[in-house]
């Protein structure tokens, strides 16, 4: 079984695990009985692993329709006395925020841990919000791990904290903790409690205004007690000694601090914080009183720094504090060892040798992320682009959404003009159709459609918007690593499941122009796009074709493989395939005779054959590989 | 002390698999290892970089000059990451280019591979036709394993060849062991230092 190594009951065993795999291990050791998510990078692999191991570990796991639903199902499980864990990316917490805020008030019964995976530097996100502030506005205790081992160990601690105070705990991670592999030593596995019992208590669980008023006071009382614990918790520790420099840090930044301090042989002591809300004021007070200079190192917002300054001010501690607020550290993007060195140079007025090689500058062609070779979205965008060209429409507004298909923004398709967040393709399409006379086409993926676009589509129908809505149904949640969604006959436990038929669902709203096409049939798809664009009112196109990578994996497993090749005798070098379909596997090369020719890269071609179907000269042939 | 290694290539070349094989081999050798990967957005055709420290270290990212070895699965991607190298670094370069779409769509030029290699001559450059060797071993998909073969020969690389082979066997489907071990050996033999 895949990920068998994550669930073996062998205390002391050491494995090379991804941070997200370590979280699953921690959950299993903690006896978590219930887990839910909506996939989002950098949290996705937690769900991918649970998909394989949940059943065997005796746990319930679901891919929920969106993060709000995920949080609600887990809250109910915890209210029933189970240990429950819900996880998503940082912006997923925005979607879940309404439910999130209330769970802090009503509290829990079994332990509940809410994992937020933040994405400094926005490797695959629309913003880099620092979700530690969610702990502050909700009043939830917060834990911030620094590495794979802590991902596992601190999940267990987080459940203990949650159960002790009957409060959910925010477990805040970042990309370079989620996506870092390290060696993790296993502990023992606790028994799973899979069945709970809900003891009714409307005066606690039904958040009417009268209840809320009381619960808010209770929450504030609890937080005072939690704060006492943060001052003494083993999650917050001091490393090293000396009375000159004290560095306060948390999360991934600690690793950079650790290595740089060691490399430079600095005589500094480090206050490594992991239980960071409520802020451990007493601990920090003692720490900053014991040194002459305080340096606060944290990615993104100056949360620790502001709290530290507050402690200094309220206790009349006169110490120099260096952080973001006085310009020593950046407030955007992820850190690395050089960021720490740059800051230390300024703070300590020293020069740190880097010994870096400086390559001669040459101009390198950029290689932005692009749709994979064989991607059905490429064929859909090609068809949409050709339909608009043939109808001579130049200013159509294209609203897009979140998924691999956002990459339709690139040349030559340029199929993306407006994007806000998950599901925004439809609400914004309605807005544009009501405020301009331009043609409006919205694109959404299947999983994103279920996640947040259905209310928008109902809005479009009810308010008589004039637009084309394209549902790119590639039978998976592709960008985050191919998780199932409600449109597929399998669930998070890997069991057969009833599925929602997208075409029926759209028709159920009352929309009658609904057409399903296979984008690899480029001719037909162009035709349907033209009809839809000419149609007055709402038209919905479902462009249905499995993600190329899934198809790929299946064929490789069966030992079937073929690619396409350009027959240079027939090719006129017209450039339709290379410049207009623009598959990532097709490239131009200057040959030894000085002529530029078009070729297909055999290592990248996925054998979809779309280039062959559009080639006007029949110059592209299939080649079967043994 | 730790050894810093950066692996750079193009999505679809098996960069992630190769680097996690090395990580597993480090674990098998009883060494500490920390490695940072990239995930998300489309998976093939974009840049893929993983960074690794083997030995006493916690930081998952390398600073400038901290890469003792650069494993370049593609010439331009090897060059792009050179600022992580120091003057004594080893750079392994697969000489077969993967030409990005920006060349045909935006009129960018792909530099001459000879120029790329020439510019690096102050470093310890080891070049090989890894993609072609993989084809010869049986499938271009084994390009990453050819690169590991070359890596095994680098003097500052701290892991034994046999352990790397063991980690390959632990990672790859047994059906393909023979082909991959052949690819590994071809990579190992193709370079001389
Ligand atoms: S579309 Fe056909 S003729 Fe035109 S460049 Fe491509 S292979 Fe050659
Ligand atoms: S068959 Fe053509 S379009 Fe499909 S992946 Fe290969 S080169 Fe690209």
């Amino acid at each position: 079984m895949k990920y068998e190594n994550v669930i073996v009951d062998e205390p002391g065993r050491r494995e090379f695990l991804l941070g997200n795999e370590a979280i699953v291990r921690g959950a299993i050791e903690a006896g978590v009985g219930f887990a839910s998510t909506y996939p989002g990078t950098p949290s996705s692999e937690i769900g991918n692993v649970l998909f394989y191991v949940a059943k065997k570990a005796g746990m319930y796991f679901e891919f929920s329709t969106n993060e709000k639903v995920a949080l609600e199902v887990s809250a109910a499980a915890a209210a029933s006395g189970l240990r429950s864990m819900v996880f998503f990316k940082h912006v997923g917490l925005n979607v879940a925020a309404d439910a999130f805020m209330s769970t802090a008030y009503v509290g829990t019964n079994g332990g509940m841990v809410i994992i937020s995976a933040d994405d400094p530097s926005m490797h695959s996100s629309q913003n880099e919000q620092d979700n530690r502030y969610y702990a502050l506005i909700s009043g939830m205790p917060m834990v911030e791990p620094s590495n794979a081992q802590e991902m596992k160990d601190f999940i267990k601690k987080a459940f203990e904290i949650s159960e002790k105070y009957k409060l959910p705990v925010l477990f805040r991670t970042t990309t370079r903790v989620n996506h870092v592999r390290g060696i993790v030593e296993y502990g023992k596995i606790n028994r799973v409690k899979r069945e709970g019992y809900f003891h009714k208590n409307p005066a606690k669980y039904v958040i009417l205004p009268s209840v809320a008023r009381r619960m808010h006071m209770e929450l504030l009382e609890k937080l005072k007690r939690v704060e006492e614990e943060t001052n003494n918790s083993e999650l917050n520790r001091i490393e090293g000694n000396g009375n000159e420099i004290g560095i306060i840090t948390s999360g991934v930044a600690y690793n950079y601090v650790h290595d740089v301090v060691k490399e430079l042989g600095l005589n500094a002591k480090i206050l490594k914080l992991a239980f960071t809300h409520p802020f451990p004021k007493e601990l920090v007070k003692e720490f900053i009183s014991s040194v002459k200079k305080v340096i606060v190192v944290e990615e993104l917002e100056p949360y620790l720094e502001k709290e530290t300054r507050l402690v200094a001010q309220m206790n009349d501690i006169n110490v120099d504090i260096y952080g973001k607020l006085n310009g020593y550290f950046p407030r955007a993007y992820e850190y690395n060892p050089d960021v720490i060195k740059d800051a230390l140079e300024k703070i300590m007025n020293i020069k740190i040798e880097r010994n870096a090689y400086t390559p001669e500058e040459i101009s390198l062609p950029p290689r932005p992320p692009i749709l994979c070779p064989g991607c059905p979205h490429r064929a859909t965008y090609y068809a949409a682009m050709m339909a608009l060209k043939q109808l001579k429409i130049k200013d159509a507004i294209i609203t897009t959404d979140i998924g691999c298909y956002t990459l339709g923004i690139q040349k030559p398709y340029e199929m993306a003009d407006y994007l806000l967040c998950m599901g925004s393709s439809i609400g914004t399409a309605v807005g544009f159709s009501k405020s301009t006379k331009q043609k409006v086409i919205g694109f959404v993926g299947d999983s994103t459609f279920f996640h947040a676009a259905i209310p928008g589509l109902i809005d479009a129908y009810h308010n008589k918007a004039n637009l084309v809505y394209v549902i790119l149904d590639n039978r998976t949640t592709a960008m985050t690593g191919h998780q199932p969604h409600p449109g597929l006959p399998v669930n998070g436990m890997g069991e057969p499941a009833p599925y929602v038929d997208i075409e029926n669902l759209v028709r159920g709203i009352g929309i009658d122009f609904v057409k399903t096409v296979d984008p690899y049939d480029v001719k037909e798809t162009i035709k349907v796009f033209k009809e839809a664009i000419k149609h007055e009112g709402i038209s919905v196109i479902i462009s249905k074709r499995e993600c190329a990578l899934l198809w790929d994996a299946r064929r490789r497993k069966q030992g079937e493989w073929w690619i396409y090749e350009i027959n240079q005798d027939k090719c006129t070098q017209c450039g339709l395939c290379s410049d207009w379909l623009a598959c990532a596997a097709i490239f131009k090369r200057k040959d030894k005779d000085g002529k530029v020719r078009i070729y297909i890269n055999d290592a990248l071609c996925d054998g979809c054959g779309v280039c062959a179907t559009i080639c006007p000269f029949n110059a592209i042939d299939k080649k079967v590989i043994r | 002390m730790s050894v810093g290694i950066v692996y750079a290539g193009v999505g679809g070349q098996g960069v992630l698999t190769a680097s996690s094989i090395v990580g597993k081999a480090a674990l098998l050798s009883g060494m500490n290892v920390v490695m940072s990967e990239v995930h998300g957005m489309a998976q093939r055709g974009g840049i893929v970089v993983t960074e690794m420290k083997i030995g006493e270290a916690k930081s998952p990212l390398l600073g400038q000059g901290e890469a003792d070895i650069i494993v370049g699965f593609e010439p331009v991607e090897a060059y792009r990451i050179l600022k992580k190298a120091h003057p004594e670094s080893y750079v392994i370069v697969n000489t077969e280019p993967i030409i990005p779409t920006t060349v045909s769509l935006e009129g960018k030029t792909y530099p001459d591979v000879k120029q790329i290699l020439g510019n690096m001559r102050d470093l310890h450059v080891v070049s090989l036709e890894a993609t072609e060797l993989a084809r010869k071993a049986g499938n271009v998909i084994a390009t990453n394993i050819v690169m590991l073969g070359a890596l095994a020969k680098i003097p500052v690389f701290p892991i034994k060849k046999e352990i790397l082979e063991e980690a390959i066997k632990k990672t790859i489907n047994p059906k393909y062991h023979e082909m991959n071990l052949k690819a590994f050996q071809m990579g190992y033999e193709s370079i001389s230092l």
Side-chain angles (χ1 to χ4, degrees), chain A residues 45 176 179-181 183 256 258-259 338 355 357 360 362 365-367 370 411 478 549 556 602 626, chain B residues 35-37 39 42 44 53 58-60 63-64 74 77 79-80 85-86 98 102 115 119 135 141:
Chain A
E45 299 74 18
R176 299 293 179 185
H179 287 168
V180 162
R181 276 181 196 277
I183 295 174
Y256 308 130
H258 173 275
D259 282 10
D338 288 312
N355 193 30
Y357 173 76
E360 198 176 313
I362 50 176
R367 195 188 302 270
I370 43 173
K411 281 190 172 106
L549 296 189
R556 288 209 196 263
D602 62 338
R626 57 162 188 101
Chain B
M35 164 182 146
S36 148
E37 340 184 324
H39 291 244
R44 296 213 177 138
K53 278 188 180 178
K58 290 187 192 286
S59 162
Q64 289 170 22
E74 201 278 343
E77 295 320 318
Y79 205 85
R80 232 192 278 277
H86 55 74
I98 295 178
T102 51
Q115 186 203 348
N119 277 1
R135 282 188 196 104
I141 253 193

Side-chain angles (χ1 to χ4, degrees), chain A residues 373-374 564 581 583 585-586 600 605-609 611:
Chain A
Y564 279 76
L581 180 63
C583 169
I586 305 180
I600 292 177
C605 174
D606 151 274
C608 74
C611 57

Side-chain angles (χ1 to χ4, degrees), chain A residues 80 207 346 370 450 489 491:
Chain A
S80 310
I207 194 83
K346 284 188 272 176
I370 43 173
F450 287 114
N491 65 16

Side-chain angles (χ1 to χ4, degrees), chain A residues 70 74 107 136 149 171 181 189 193 198 215 218-219 283 296 348 362 387 404 408 469 504 526 562 572-573 589:
Chain A
S74 266
L136 274 77
Q149 182 75 47
F171 196 77
R181 276 181 196 277
I189 293 178
K193 182 174 172 190
F198 179 64
M215 296 307 281
E218 270 185 35
L219 173 61
L283 178 65
V296 188
M348 300 168 59
I362 50 176
C404 295
Y469 200 46
N504 279 342
I526 295 178
W562 63 86
T572 63
Q573 312 298 331
R589 183 179 72 201

Side-chain angles (χ1 to χ4, degrees), chain A residues 190-260:
Chain A
N190 281 309
R191 236 172 46 102
V192 183
K193 182 174 172 190
R194 174 66 192 86
E195 194 184 311
Y197 187 85
F198 179 64
H199 298 279
K200 295 181 189 223
N201 186 359
K204 168 174 157 72
Y205 290 121
V206 182
I207 194 83
L208 290 168
S210 56
V211 175
R213 277 178 216 119
R214 198 185 70 246
M215 296 307 281
H216 191 193
M217 293 315 289
E218 270 185 35
L219 173 61
L220 295 175
E221 274 311 308
K222 279 184 192 174
L223 283 177
K224 275 191 204 146
R225 286 191 287 132
V226 185
E227 186 179 323
E228 273 166 41
E229 181 162 342
T230 63
N231 285 315
N232 302 301
S233 167
E234 55 180 313
L235 298 186
N236 296 331
R237 61 164 200 256
I238 295 173
E239 284 177 12
N241 39 44
N243 51 16
E244 194 62 33
I245 303 168
I247 304 177
I248 302 177
T249 183
S250 72
V252 72
Y254 159 75
N255 302 305
Y256 308 130
V257 169
H258 173 275
D259 282 10
V260 170

Side-chain angles (χ1 to χ4, degrees), chain A residues 272-299:
Chain A
K272 180 192 180 298
L273 297 177
F275 196 170
T276 47
H277 185 257
F279 194 70
K281 297 197 190 76
E282 272 305 307
L283 178 65
V284 169
K285 180 181 143 195
E286 278 166 39
F287 184 77
I288 63 175
S289 311
S290 70
V291 290
K292 298 206 180 78
K293 276 189 168 103
V294 174
I295 306 174
V296 188
V297 190
E298 60 193 317
E299 285 184 340

Side-chain angles (χ1 to χ4, degrees), chain A residues 354-611:
Chain A
R354 310 291 166 102
N355 193 30
Y357 173 76
T358 354
E360 198 176 313
E361 286 274 338
I362 50 176
S363 130
L364 301 172
R367 195 188 302 270
I370 43 173
L371 296 168
C372 301
C375 176
H377 301 325
R378 172 177 289 107
T380 309
Y381 284 134
Y382 175 82
M385 178 178 69
M386 287 303 171
L388 286 169
K389 272 193 201 303
Q390 289 170 18
L391 296 173
K392 303 201 164 40
I393 299 172
K394 289 208 173 103
D395 62 349
I397 303 171
I398 313 293
T399 62
T400 187
D401 224 305
I402 295 189
C404 295
Y405 52 90
T406 318
L407 295 171
I409 190 171
Q410 278 155 356
K411 281 190 172 106
Y413 332 106
E414 300 182 306
M415 288 281 162
D417 295 316
Y418 201 83
L419 169 63
L420 296 174
C421 61
M422 287 288 285
S424 71
S425 55
I426 184 66
T428 58
V430 174
F432 284 122
S433 89
K434 292 286 171 191
S435 42
T436 71
K437 285 220 154 50
Q438 287 160 274
K439 267 286 154 206
V440 181
I441 308 181
F443 286 93
V444 70
D446 42 355
S447 190
T448 306
F449 175 71
F450 287 114
H451 175 286
I454 296 168
L457 193 57
I458 292 171
D459 186 272
Y461 174 69
H462 177 66
N463 292 310
K464 296 190 278 183
N466 182 17
L467 54 89
V468 181
Y469 200 46
V470 187
I471 302 168
L472 300 158
D473 182 4
N474 64 353
R475 319 298 298 145
T476 187
T477 316
M479 182 166 70
T480 48
H482 302 102
Q483 296 80 7
H485 61 60
L488 296 166
V490 57
N491 65 16
M493 305 285 283
E495 290 166 344
Y499 61 93
V500 180
D501 182 275
I502 297 181
E503 185 167 331
N504 279 342
L505 193 147
V506 175
R507 287 192 193 282
I509 291 175
I511 298 169
D512 21 80
F513 188 115
V514 189
K515 293 206 169 162
T516 299
V517 294
D518 172 3
Y520 280 7
D521 185 347
V522 178
K523 246 200 197 137
E524 175 68 15
T525 307
I526 295 178
K527 196 179 120 219
V528 170
F529 262 102
K530 285 184 7 197
E531 279 170 36
I533 292 167
K534 285 192 243 163
H535 179 83
E536 275 300 310
I538 304 185
S539 45
V540 172
I541 300 175
I542 300 166
S543 185
K544 190 167 172 179
R545 168 60 80 160
E546 184 185 32
C547 170
L549 296 189
L550 291 179
W551 187 51
D552 216 275
R554 230 185 16 251
R555 280 178 302 154
R556 288 209 196 263
K557 219 183 232 158
Q558 288 163 1
E560 285 173 39
W561 196 248
W562 63 86
I563 55 169
Y564 279 76
E565 258 185 350
I566 296 184
N567 178 341
Q568 296 297 344
D569 295 334
K570 287 196 194 164
C571 174
T572 63
Q573 312 298 331
C574 74
L576 191 66
C577 61
S578 59
D579 301 357
W580 293 103
L581 180 63
C583 169
I586 305 180
F587 66 97
K588 287 184 188 161
R589 183 179 72 201
K590 195 190 231 167
D591 285 328
K592 296 221 164 67
D593 60 7
K595 284 209 183 101
V596 175
R597 289 192 184 83
I598 298 170
Y599 291 95
I600 292 177
N601 184 319
D602 62 338
L604 287 181
C605 174
D606 151 274
C608 74
V610 171
C611 57

